[in-house]
Amino acid sequence: MSGDKSSLRVAVTRRLPEPVESKMRELFDVRLNEDDHRMDRDELLALMQDSDVIVPSLSDRIDGELLEKAGERLKLIANYGVGVDHIDLPGAGKRGILVTNTSGVLTEDTADMTMALIIAVTRKLNQGMAVMQSGEWEGWSPTAFLGGRIGGRKLGILGMGRIGRAVARRARAFGMEIHYHNRNRLDAECEKALQASWWDSLDQMLARVDVVSVNVAHTPATFHLLSARRLHLLQPGAVVINTSRGEVIDENALTRMLRAGEIAGAGLDVYEHGHEANPRLRNLPNVVLLPHMGSATVEGRIEMGEKVILNIRSFAEGQLPPDLLSPGGI
Ligand code: DGY
């Protein structure tokens, strides 16, 4: 691959880690979002009309209408992130615009955060932190802050892709029993290595597990996969964890059930309406809420940038970008 600066005009919609932006400045005719504001539709459209490549991230909704109005020169959407549910892939395909993501590099970080939420909710870390932060701790007591033991609990993983499998590996090390529901069953060797049991029926798995971890991508087929009906299949002592996409869970139903004590707890990093978490989830003692930080490590975010650069450079050299997505979806 040549080191020459390409004449490709590349527009990046959010601030990226400094080493990534520096490399992009060296390689491309790049426009950066210096103050990191969230771009509105008009700004996005202006970039899409005047760039060869745009680098959006999950806060940019690139729908069919924007794609139809995109300029002739737009040929690649090199998404900074793995999830592409904010991009109309068939719409991009119709316009002959390629779409890539950054799969692989945020698997381990997201799985770490999933495990952190499982532990935080089950062992009531938020309640302990609140007491320490308020200065009201009165000392050790045999019956204070009692959570549940992680080892021996049944974990049901919904979506056994890269991240689901990375969660399974961690949970095994904590002594959890691994169950999973996935469109396709893993091969026998992989199932054996993870000591994982496959459930063809999601309903049946939900009725039997202590913790559910959502690790499936958001697509039209997975919208509200954890519907009110399915949430009611969970045992009252169950805990729901989501580090994938909020749309997979009916958030209002989950909130109602948490408030009514029909589900024991939840650890959420993502919400059905982007950054607007249901306000009735706040301040619940059995809920840990995070601001979509599953992949937020310095190392991961730099690797994501490196993947974006590799995808753009491959495209510029007439090769298929390594993380090319099919217009039909992921
Ligand atoms: C992604 O890249 O889709 C992640 O959700 C970001 O953490």
Side-chain angles (χ1 to χ4, degrees):
M1 216 177 276
S2 100
D4 294 345
K5 182 159 173 157
S6 136
S7 58
L8 272 192
R9 183 172 292 170
V10 176
V12 184
T13 67
R14 296 303 296 263
R15 269 245 89 135
L16 301 183
E18 198 282 321
V20 177
E21 291 193 345
S22 298
K23 190 79 189 159
M24 285 185 161
R25 275 197 206 91
E26 259 171 50
L27 292 172
F28 315 118
D29 171 13
V30 69
R31 288 177 198 191
L32 300 170
N33 177 354
E34 302 291 345
D35 65 7
D36 198 30
H37 66 283
R38 281 167 78 98
M39 293 194 176
D40 62 23
R41 284 178 75 77
D42 290 342
E43 275 179 289
L44 275 180
L45 182 57
L47 292 181
M48 289 170 68
Q49 287 179 332
D50 198 28
S51 313
D52 303 297
V53 179
I54 59 162
V55 180
S57 48
L58 57 90
S59 55
D60 305 305
R61 182 142 300 283
I62 302 188
D63 56 24
E65 193 190 331
L66 281 187
L67 285 158
E68 267 170 34
K69 293 182 181 164
E72 283 303 313
R73 64 185 293 177
L74 183 66
K75 288 285 173 265
L76 173 65
I77 300 174
N79 188 53
Y80 182 81
V82 68
V84 286
D85 50 334
H86 54 295
I87 302 173
D88 177 348
L89 292 183
K94 256 191 248 156
R95 287 289 319 266
I97 300 168
L98 304 182
V99 181
T100 58
N101 70 355
T102 60
S103 65
V105 291
L106 36 76
T107 305
E108 304 301 324
D109 296 327
T110 309
D112 287 345
M113 194 58 94
T114 307
M115 204 61 223
L117 282 172
I118 294 173
I119 296 169
V121 177
T122 311
R123 296 296 306 273
K124 303 188 188 300
L125 296 198
N126 57 333
Q127 295 180 26
M129 281 174 68
V131 164
M132 293 310 289
Q133 280 165 352
S134 69
E136 284 166 7
W137 186 41
E138 289 176 352
W140 191 86
S141 132
T143 53
F145 307 112
L146 300 185
R149 178 177 289 160
I150 304 282
R153 275 175 197 249
K154 294 188 176 74
L155 171 64
I157 301 177
L158 179 44
M160 204 59 151
R162 283 194 183 95
I163 297 176
R165 295 196 301 271
V167 170
R169 284 197 302 277
R170 283 157 177 75
R172 274 300 310 152
F174 277 83
M176 297 186 87
E177 210 180 88
I178 311 300
H179 300 260
Y180 74 98
H181 171 79
N182 198 48
R183 250 181 327 191
N184 304 313
R185 188 169 179 173
L186 299 180
D187 62 49
E189 204 180 317
C190 188
E191 249 183 26
K192 194 169 163 215
L194 296 172
Q195 293 176 278
S197 308
W198 180 64
W199 291 84
D200 186 19
S201 157
L202 174 57
D203 288 9
Q204 287 187 20
M205 181 181 89
L206 291 175
R208 285 165 180 79
V209 295
D210 304 301
V211 180
V212 184
S213 174
V214 175
N215 297 107
V216 74
H218 168 223
T219 65
T222 64
F223 177 76
H224 279 195
L225 196 56
L226 289 189
S227 58
R229 181 189 71 76
R230 287 212 169 99
L231 289 169
H232 276 99
L233 297 173
L234 290 167
Q235 305 169 41
V239 161
V240 175
I241 306 295
N242 191 359
T243 53
S244 178
R245 283 293 184 270
E247 292 91 332
V248 179
I249 304 181
D250 179 339
E251 190 172 294
N252 283 336
L254 176 68
T255 307
R256 276 196 304 274
M257 291 179 70
L258 285 163
R259 294 182 74 89
E262 292 165 352
I263 289 181
L268 307 175
D269 189 38
V270 287
Y271 306 92
E272 187 170 343
H273 303 288
H275 63 285
E276 282 161 18
N278 186 327
R280 289 165 60 79
L281 282 169
R282 284 186 220 141
N283 305 323
L284 289 179
N286 49 348
V287 175
V288 176
L289 304 179
L290 296 178
H292 201 157
M293 52 194 277
S295 69
T297 66
V298 174
E299 295 86 347
R301 293 288 161 88
I302 291 176
E303 285 168 17
M304 285 163 71
E306 285 165 353
K307 285 220 116 186
V308 166
I309 291 171
L310 183 63
N311 283 317
I312 301 175
R313 292 185 81 180
S314 309
F315 162 77
E317 290 172 5
Q319 299 160 15
L320 278 187
D323 301 304
L324 183 64
L325 298 168
S326 83
I330 47 178

PDB file of all heavy atoms in Angstrom, residues 280-300:
ATOM      1  N   ARG A 280     -37.987   6.866  33.989  1.00  0.00           N
ATOM      2  CA  ARG A 280     -38.482   6.034  35.099  1.00  0.00           C
ATOM      3  C   ARG A 280     -37.521   4.889  35.452  1.00  0.00           C
ATOM      4  O   ARG A 280     -37.730   4.150  36.396  1.00  0.00           O
ATOM      5  CB  ARG A 280     -39.880   5.508  34.767  1.00  0.00           C
ATOM      6  CG  ARG A 280     -40.930   6.645  34.824  1.00  0.00           C
ATOM      7  CD  ARG A 280     -42.229   6.231  34.160  1.00  0.00           C
ATOM      8  NE  ARG A 280     -42.846   5.073  34.767  1.00  0.00           N
ATOM      9  CZ  ARG A 280     -43.560   5.079  35.887  1.00  0.00           C
ATOM     10  NH1 ARG A 280     -43.746   6.206  36.538  1.00  0.00           N
ATOM     11  NH2 ARG A 280     -44.092   3.978  36.363  1.00  0.00           N
ATOM     12  N   LEU A 281     -36.439   4.766  34.646  1.00  0.00           N
ATOM     13  CA  LEU A 281     -35.404   3.762  34.990  1.00  0.00           C
ATOM     14  C   LEU A 281     -34.421   4.324  36.012  1.00  0.00           C
ATOM     15  O   LEU A 281     -33.743   3.587  36.716  1.00  0.00           O
ATOM     16  CB  LEU A 281     -34.601   3.382  33.746  1.00  0.00           C
ATOM     17  CG  LEU A 281     -35.222   2.408  32.755  1.00  0.00           C
ATOM     18  CD1 LEU A 281     -34.393   2.364  31.481  1.00  0.00           C
ATOM     19  CD2 LEU A 281     -35.340   1.021  33.363  1.00  0.00           C
ATOM     20  N   ARG A 282     -34.358   5.674  36.045  1.00  0.00           N
ATOM     21  CA  ARG A 282     -33.366   6.312  36.908  1.00  0.00           C
ATOM     22  C   ARG A 282     -33.686   6.076  38.367  1.00  0.00           C
ATOM     23  O   ARG A 282     -34.848   5.973  38.736  1.00  0.00           O
ATOM     24  CB  ARG A 282     -33.375   7.828  36.678  1.00  0.00           C
ATOM     25  CG  ARG A 282     -32.690   8.209  35.392  1.00  0.00           C
ATOM     26  CD  ARG A 282     -32.610   9.728  35.318  1.00  0.00           C
ATOM     27  NE  ARG A 282     -32.886  10.158  33.966  1.00  0.00           N
ATOM     28  CZ  ARG A 282     -33.601  11.232  33.640  1.00  0.00           C
ATOM     29  NH1 ARG A 282     -34.107  12.007  34.567  1.00  0.00           N
ATOM     30  NH2 ARG A 282     -33.793  11.536  32.380  1.00  0.00           N
ATOM     31  N   ASN A 283     -32.650   6.036  39.171  1.00  0.00           N
ATOM     32  CA  ASN A 283     -32.792   5.928  40.633  1.00  0.00           C
ATOM     33  C   ASN A 283     -33.457   4.645  41.118  1.00  0.00           C
ATOM     34  O   ASN A 283     -33.891   4.573  42.254  1.00  0.00           O
ATOM     35  CB  ASN A 283     -33.576   7.124  41.215  1.00  0.00           C
ATOM     36  CG  ASN A 283     -32.933   8.439  40.812  1.00  0.00           C
ATOM     37  OD1 ASN A 283     -31.701   8.507  40.750  1.00  0.00           O
ATOM     38  ND2 ASN A 283     -33.719   9.430  40.501  1.00  0.00           N
ATOM     39  N   LEU A 284     -33.605   3.662  40.252  1.00  0.00           N
ATOM     40  CA  LEU A 284     -34.105   2.374  40.753  1.00  0.00           C
ATOM     41  C   LEU A 284     -32.930   1.657  41.408  1.00  0.00           C
ATOM     42  O   LEU A 284     -31.849   1.581  40.821  1.00  0.00           O
ATOM     43  CB  LEU A 284     -34.670   1.521  39.607  1.00  0.00           C
ATOM     44  CG  LEU A 284     -35.986   1.988  38.987  1.00  0.00           C
ATOM     45  CD1 LEU A 284     -36.390   1.047  37.855  1.00  0.00           C
ATOM     46  CD2 LEU A 284     -37.080   2.011  40.050  1.00  0.00           C
ATOM     47  N   PRO A 285     -33.122   1.106  42.587  1.00  0.00           N
ATOM     48  CA  PRO A 285     -31.987   0.500  43.282  1.00  0.00           C
ATOM     49  C   PRO A 285     -31.447  -0.747  42.589  1.00  0.00           C
ATOM     50  O   PRO A 285     -30.300  -1.132  42.790  1.00  0.00           O
ATOM     51  CB  PRO A 285     -32.582   0.132  44.662  1.00  0.00           C
ATOM     52  CG  PRO A 285     -34.058   0.109  44.454  1.00  0.00           C
ATOM     53  CD  PRO A 285     -34.365   1.068  43.350  1.00  0.00           C
ATOM     54  N   ASN A 286     -32.292  -1.356  41.756  1.00  0.00           N
ATOM     55  CA  ASN A 286     -31.903  -2.620  41.125  1.00  0.00           C
ATOM     56  C   ASN A 286     -31.446  -2.443  39.678  1.00  0.00           C
ATOM     57  O   ASN A 286     -31.402  -3.397  38.908  1.00  0.00           O
ATOM     58  CB  ASN A 286     -33.080  -3.612  41.181  1.00  0.00           C
ATOM     59  CG  ASN A 286     -34.383  -2.975  40.682  1.00  0.00           C
ATOM     60  OD1 ASN A 286     -34.460  -1.764  40.514  1.00  0.00           O
ATOM     61  ND2 ASN A 286     -35.384  -3.798  40.432  1.00  0.00           N
ATOM     62  N   VAL A 287     -31.128  -1.206  39.301  1.00  0.00           N
ATOM     63  CA  VAL A 287     -30.772  -0.950  37.903  1.00  0.00           C
ATOM     64  C   VAL A 287     -29.448  -0.185  37.823  1.00  0.00           C
ATOM     65  O   VAL A 287     -29.255   0.803  38.531  1.00  0.00           O
ATOM     66  CB  VAL A 287     -31.895  -0.130  37.212  1.00  0.00           C
ATOM     67  CG1 VAL A 287     -31.489   0.256  35.810  1.00  0.00           C
ATOM     68  CG2 VAL A 287     -33.184  -0.948  37.174  1.00  0.00           C
ATOM     69  N   VAL A 288     -28.561  -0.659  36.965  1.00  0.00           N
ATOM     70  CA  VAL A 288     -27.298   0.059  36.708  1.00  0.00           C
ATOM     71  C   VAL A 288     -27.365   0.572  35.271  1.00  0.00           C
ATOM     72  O   VAL A 288     -27.539  -0.212  34.337  1.00  0.00           O
ATOM     73  CB  VAL A 288     -26.081  -0.872  36.899  1.00  0.00           C
ATOM     74  CG1 VAL A 288     -24.788  -0.154  36.531  1.00  0.00           C
ATOM     75  CG2 VAL A 288     -26.016  -1.377  38.340  1.00  0.00           C
ATOM     76  N   LEU A 289     -27.263   1.879  35.125  1.00  0.00           N
ATOM     77  CA  LEU A 289     -27.358   2.491  33.790  1.00  0.00           C
ATOM     78  C   LEU A 289     -26.005   3.077  33.394  1.00  0.00           C
ATOM     79  O   LEU A 289     -25.381   3.783  34.191  1.00  0.00           O
ATOM     80  CB  LEU A 289     -28.388   3.633  33.800  1.00  0.00           C
ATOM     81  CG  LEU A 289     -29.808   3.285  34.254  1.00  0.00           C
ATOM     82  CD1 LEU A 289     -30.683   4.536  34.229  1.00  0.00           C
ATOM     83  CD2 LEU A 289     -30.409   2.207  33.364  1.00  0.00           C
ATOM     84  N   LEU A 290     -25.591   2.815  32.184  1.00  0.00           N
ATOM     85  CA  LEU A 290     -24.338   3.383  31.671  1.00  0.00           C
ATOM     86  C   LEU A 290     -24.621   4.111  30.362  1.00  0.00           C
ATOM     87  O   LEU A 290     -25.562   3.770  29.641  1.00  0.00           O
ATOM     88  CB  LEU A 290     -23.307   2.272  31.415  1.00  0.00           C
ATOM     89  CG  LEU A 290     -22.815   1.482  32.629  1.00  0.00           C
ATOM     90  CD1 LEU A 290     -21.847   0.389  32.177  1.00  0.00           C
ATOM     91  CD2 LEU A 290     -22.135   2.395  33.631  1.00  0.00           C
ATOM     92  N   PRO A 291     -23.799   5.102  30.031  1.00  0.00           N
ATOM     93  CA  PRO A 291     -24.016   5.881  28.807  1.00  0.00           C
ATOM     94  C   PRO A 291     -23.312   5.276  27.586  1.00  0.00           C
ATOM     95  O   PRO A 291     -22.355   5.853  27.075  1.00  0.00           O
ATOM     96  CB  PRO A 291     -23.431   7.244  29.178  1.00  0.00           C
ATOM     97  CG  PRO A 291     -22.327   6.915  30.130  1.00  0.00           C
ATOM     98  CD  PRO A 291     -22.728   5.681  30.878  1.00  0.00           C
ATOM     99  N   HIS A 292     -23.761   4.145  27.128  1.00  0.00           N
ATOM    100  CA  HIS A 292     -23.222   3.464  25.938  1.00  0.00           C
ATOM    101  C   HIS A 292     -21.689   3.534  25.901  1.00  0.00           C
ATOM    102  O   HIS A 292     -21.105   4.136  24.985  1.00  0.00           O
ATOM    103  CB  HIS A 292     -23.816   4.056  24.652  1.00  0.00           C
ATOM    104  CG  HIS A 292     -23.701   3.102  23.493  1.00  0.00           C
ATOM    105  ND1 HIS A 292     -24.509   3.147  22.395  1.00  0.00           N
ATOM    106  CD2 HIS A 292     -22.838   2.071  23.256  1.00  0.00           C
ATOM    107  CE1 HIS A 292     -24.169   2.194  21.534  1.00  0.00           C
ATOM    108  NE2 HIS A 292     -23.140   1.528  22.039  1.00  0.00           N
ATOM    109  N   MET A 293     -21.062   2.909  26.887  1.00  0.00           N
ATOM    110  CA  MET A 293     -19.598   2.977  26.967  1.00  0.00           C
ATOM    111  C   MET A 293     -18.945   1.605  26.855  1.00  0.00           C
ATOM    112  O   MET A 293     -17.783   1.432  27.209  1.00  0.00           O
ATOM    113  CB  MET A 293     -19.173   3.705  28.255  1.00  0.00           C
ATOM    114  CG  MET A 293     -19.784   3.159  29.519  1.00  0.00           C
ATOM    115  SD  MET A 293     -19.560   4.288  30.924  1.00  0.00           S
ATOM    116  CE  MET A 293     -17.908   3.826  31.438  1.00  0.00           C
ATOM    117  N   GLY A 294     -19.687   0.638  26.309  1.00  0.00           N
ATOM    118  CA  GLY A 294     -19.158  -0.727  26.207  1.00  0.00           C
ATOM    119  C   GLY A 294     -17.831  -0.814  25.470  1.00  0.00           C
ATOM    120  O   GLY A 294     -16.957  -1.593  25.839  1.00  0.00           O
ATOM    121  N   SER A 295     -17.675  -0.028  24.422  1.00  0.00           N
ATOM    122  CA  SER A 295     -16.436  -0.127  23.641  1.00  0.00           C
ATOM    123  C   SER A 295     -15.471   1.008  23.982  1.00  0.00           C
ATOM    124  O   SER A 295     -14.486   1.225  23.271  1.00  0.00           O
ATOM    125  CB  SER A 295     -16.752  -0.087  22.140  1.00  0.00           C
ATOM    126  OG  SER A 295     -17.214   1.202  21.777  1.00  0.00           O
ATOM    127  N   ALA A 296     -15.759   1.734  25.069  1.00  0.00           N
ATOM    128  CA  ALA A 296     -14.995   2.961  25.337  1.00  0.00           C
ATOM    129  C   ALA A 296     -13.657   2.679  26.022  1.00  0.00           C
ATOM    130  O   ALA A 296     -13.480   2.947  27.205  1.00  0.00           O
ATOM    131  CB  ALA A 296     -15.842   3.924  26.158  1.00  0.00           C
ATOM    132  N   THR A 297     -12.722   2.137  25.276  1.00  0.00           N
ATOM    133  CA  THR A 297     -11.334   2.066  25.759  1.00  0.00           C
ATOM    134  C   THR A 297     -10.478   2.823  24.756  1.00  0.00           C
ATOM    135  O   THR A 297     -10.800   2.870  23.558  1.00  0.00           O
ATOM    136  CB  THR A 297     -10.799   0.622  25.868  1.00  0.00           C
ATOM    137  OG1 THR A 297     -10.705   0.057  24.549  1.00  0.00           O
ATOM    138  CG2 THR A 297     -11.702  -0.257  26.729  1.00  0.00           C
ATOM    139  N   VAL A 298      -9.395   3.394  25.236  1.00  0.00           N
ATOM    140  CA  VAL A 298      -8.499   4.147  24.348  1.00  0.00           C
ATOM    141  C   VAL A 298      -8.006   3.215  23.234  1.00  0.00           C
ATOM    142  O   VAL A 298      -8.026   3.556  22.041  1.00  0.00           O
ATOM    143  CB  VAL A 298      -7.303   4.703  25.158  1.00  0.00           C
ATOM    144  CG1 VAL A 298      -6.285   5.354  24.237  1.00  0.00           C
ATOM    145  CG2 VAL A 298      -7.791   5.680  26.208  1.00  0.00           C
ATOM    146  N   GLU A 299      -7.619   2.004  23.654  1.00  0.00           N
ATOM    147  CA  GLU A 299      -7.050   1.059  22.678  1.00  0.00           C
ATOM    148  C   GLU A 299      -8.088   0.702  21.609  1.00  0.00           C
ATOM    149  O   GLU A 299      -7.801   0.686  20.414  1.00  0.00           O
ATOM    150  CB  GLU A 299      -6.600  -0.228  23.388  1.00  0.00           C
ATOM    151  CG  GLU A 299      -5.459  -0.041  24.383  1.00  0.00           C
ATOM    152  CD  GLU A 299      -5.921   0.370  25.789  1.00  0.00           C
ATOM    153  OE1 GLU A 299      -7.099   0.757  25.959  1.00  0.00           O
ATOM    154  OE2 GLU A 299      -5.098   0.323  26.719  1.00  0.00           O
ATOM    155  N   GLY A 300      -9.303   0.397  22.083  1.00  0.00           N
ATOM    156  CA  GLY A 300     -10.354  -0.019  21.145  1.00  0.00           C
ATOM    157  C   GLY A 300     -10.707   1.081  20.169  1.00  0.00           C
ATOM    158  O   GLY A 300     -10.873   0.838  18.967  1.00  0.00           O
TER     159      GLY A 300
END
